[in-house]
Amino acid sequence: MVFDEKVIEFLSTGDFKYQIKQYIEKYNDLIKNSNFLRKEFNHYHATTVQKNLLDNGFFKAEHTINMNMKGVKTEITSASELSKLIDEEKNKILSDIHLQKIFQTIDKKISNAQLREFRDYLFENQDLLIELENIQNLKKKVWLSYLQQHSILYFNLIKEYKDGQVELKKIIKQANEEKTDWENVIDIFNRRFYVPYTLRMSNKSDSVLRDEAPSVEYVFKDRDENSETVSEEILLSILSQGETRALYLLNIIFEIECRRKQGLQTLLVIDDIADSFDYKNKYAIIEYLKEISDSENFSLVILTHNFDFYRTVQDRINTDKFTQSYMAVRNVDSINLINPGYKYISNPFGNWKKDLNDKVKLIASISFARNIAEYVGDKVNFNKLTSILHKKDNSGTLLIKDIESSYKEIFKDMDQLVLNDPDKYVLDVIFEVAEQLCGESTETGLNLENKIVLSIATRINAEIYMISKIHDPSFVSKIKSNQTGKLFGRFKNDFSNEAESIKILEKVNLMTPENIHLNSFMFEPILDLTEHHLKDLYVNVKRLIISEEQSEMFAATTTESYDH
């Protein structure tokens, strides 16, 4: 009979235990009146003795036993005589009418279909009921009985286990001493990445001997060097996005290291792997990628939307910077892959300085020059160059030679600078170049300088238009910073009904400032903007000015006619 979990659960219920208790109490009362059975030597024990005597040839050896039958000694000379005596005594007890009623009550309790097999077994083996008072003890007896029946197999197993203990300990010791692939990956991660936890492999020997997946522990250390192990679930709930992405690199590094170890030819495509990383971890993954790129079996294709990451990869990984680096440039109806050139990307101003007589590069460089003047505290040249980037009272009077003199003072290596057309007005040059760029139908490169010039020209036109419409010189003269934004705020307040103009000017406020205040941290806004978007914006702002001029001319003509 197999005692499964459902049977054990049933036997443990309160009602059934009560019925068993009644049965055992009645059984013990009956056994007191037995000829030779007692509570300490019941029919189960008697049957066990009978079987042992039979199995060991006791009666065949012509031995006899004396039974105390209510104080009278009775000699038993054969196995059959003993068996008959025990069966008669057992049947007399188990057939008792009161005991049978209790058994029937128990039977009703276990009539469930799932327990039918157990119920049928009890019908055939009612003597088992007295053993159900203590389930754990019954289990123990069953196991001992099983082990006794299979003692040879059991002792062989024990012997094999003991014989293998010494060798097993040696294998486990060797497994713990070997550096596994996963342990190597964890070392790489702990060594390279800056996160507020340390990784540790907790089942090293099992991962070696049983081919189990490695179990990684996450250990936090506080400022007092106290460490605490936390679960992955808790870890992911408290990490920043960048720290979480760093953790996911663990499996990627493992795959890479396995392929390196096997010498497999591998094309590795990395897509925005450092997104949300802080600078320390961004450089850490770049250094790891550099190490991989030096492996002869690995070829890397690195994709990114992050311009700073792109430039850093060029500086640290790209061995042939002029031929292996590309940027996707979106035109009106296509996307082109272009090679911008390493120096142009890492230092565009250095590229422009070589050819400042190119009007596009000259105008684009003004934003850099003004920032340098501000950083070094050169207020005179800062204000002068600001008047080129914003519409000020003196903006229309500044000449190309004014830029030349400012550059000679700001940049120590430009004392020999000579610019063409020194007496040409700077605003005229800005608008001429913008018109020229708008006339070109295609884009051939990144053209940072083109986008900067279009942004400058567009913003100046927008300020000219807003200043003309607001028509409040006192208000304009008091603006000391963020001029475009403050003009736009006043314009929206004064001309809230001019929805189309507000829409266009809002785009100017959104699209142009970062392009003009260009530095190493502000490349991405201008790279995300296509040149044709800036051209469209320039044309739309220009139309606002033309429309305003035409309205003023019409108003003047009407007044003149009225006067006549």
Side-chain angles (χ1 to χ4, degrees), residues 34-173:
S34 171
N35 289 328
F36 63 89
L37 295 178
R38 298 292 181 269
K39 181 178 180 181
E40 297 77 15
F41 184 75
N42 60 31
H43 66 274
Y44 173 78
H45 300 132
T47 303
T48 301
V49 169
Q50 174 210 1
K51 184 176 183 304
N52 287 334
L53 293 175
L54 181 64
D55 291 344
N56 290 281
F58 181 84
F59 292 105
K60 287 182 178 181
E62 298 182 354
H63 297 302
T64 63
I65 61 173
N66 289 322
M67 300 286 289
N68 184 354
M69 307 287 285
K70 290 189 175 180
V72 178
K73 289 186 179 180
T74 303
E75 185 179 19
I76 307 297
T77 60
S78 68
S80 59
E81 185 181 356
L82 177 61
S83 177
K84 179 181 178 183
L85 185 64
I86 292 172
D87 287 344
E88 288 176 351
E89 200 71 12
K90 181 174 71 172
N91 291 333
K92 184 170 66 175
I93 294 172
L94 296 179
S95 299
D96 180 84
I97 187 169
H98 297 293
L99 199 63
Q100 285 298 312
K101 285 182 180 179
I102 299 174
F103 180 81
Q104 289 171 6
T105 304
I106 293 174
D107 178 47
K108 291 178 183 178
K109 299 286 185 183
I110 59 175
S111 60
N112 185 292
Q114 293 179 326
L115 300 172
R116 186 177 293 118
E117 183 184 356
F118 177 64
R119 180 197 63 190
D120 294 342
Y121 187 83
L122 286 181
F123 271 128
E124 301 297 328
N125 301 273
Q126 292 185 32
D127 52 331
L128 179 66
L129 282 167
I130 62 171
E131 299 291 342
L132 299 181
E133 184 179 25
N134 188 331
I135 298 298
Q136 293 304 318
N137 190 53
L138 177 58
K139 283 183 178 181
K140 181 179 177 180
K141 287 182 178 180
V142 170
W143 272 110
L144 289 173
S145 174
Y146 176 83
L147 293 175
Q148 186 177 19
Q149 290 180 29
H150 300 87
S151 59
I152 296 176
L153 289 176
Y154 172 73
F155 288 115
N156 283 342
L157 174 64
I158 296 297
K159 183 177 182 302
E160 288 293 330
Y161 176 79
K162 289 181 177 179
D163 289 345
Q165 279 298 293
V166 175
E167 188 63 27
L168 185 61
K169 287 179 180 179
K170 289 181 181 179
I171 295 172
I172 292 174
K173 181 180 178 182

Side-chain angles (χ1 to χ4, degrees), residues 212-226:
E212 290 185 1
S215 178
V216 179
E217 293 181 339
Y218 309 93
V219 183
F220 266 82
K221 282 189 177 179
D222 59 25
R223 293 180 180 178
D224 297 325
E225 293 299 310
N226 296 316

